[in-house]
Amino acid sequence: MDMTQAILTELRKCGHFLHHNFGNGNTPETAEVLAALTEEEKAELLHLLRKCTQNFKAPGRTA
């Protein structure tokens, strides 16, 4: 598995966890979700996720 595939796999796992464990009465403590990260790591993660989402394009769209 190359790096891109590994990253997307981990993002899917995170999305799956959040989808099934947040909302509809299933809300873990918010602080626990990112407890493994330092404040610096959280800031970097937020920066990188925002960078990715700003670059998202719908399939078949060109700009």
Side-chain angles (χ1 to χ4, degrees):
M1 178 181 306
D2 71 10
M3 181 69 76
T4 299
Q5 290 174 326
I7 291 168
L8 293 175
T9 296
E10 294 305 315
L11 284 172
R12 283 186 193 106
K13 288 179 190 176
C14 290
H16 181 82
F17 173 81
L18 292 173
H19 176 72
H20 289 283
N21 294 289
F22 269 82
N24 298 328
N26 295 329
T27 307
E29 289 296 319
T30 303
E32 291 177 13
V33 175
L34 300 176
L37 303 178
T38 66
E39 290 303 312
E40 183 178 298
E41 290 169 330
K42 290 175 194 176
E44 181 67 11
L45 176 60
L46 179 59
H47 169 75
L48 294 171
L49 290 171
R50 284 180 174 164
K51 187 173 182 177
C52 287
T53 58
Q54 288 172 358
N55 194 48
F56 285 160
K57 296 178 186 163
R61 288 185 60 193
T62 60

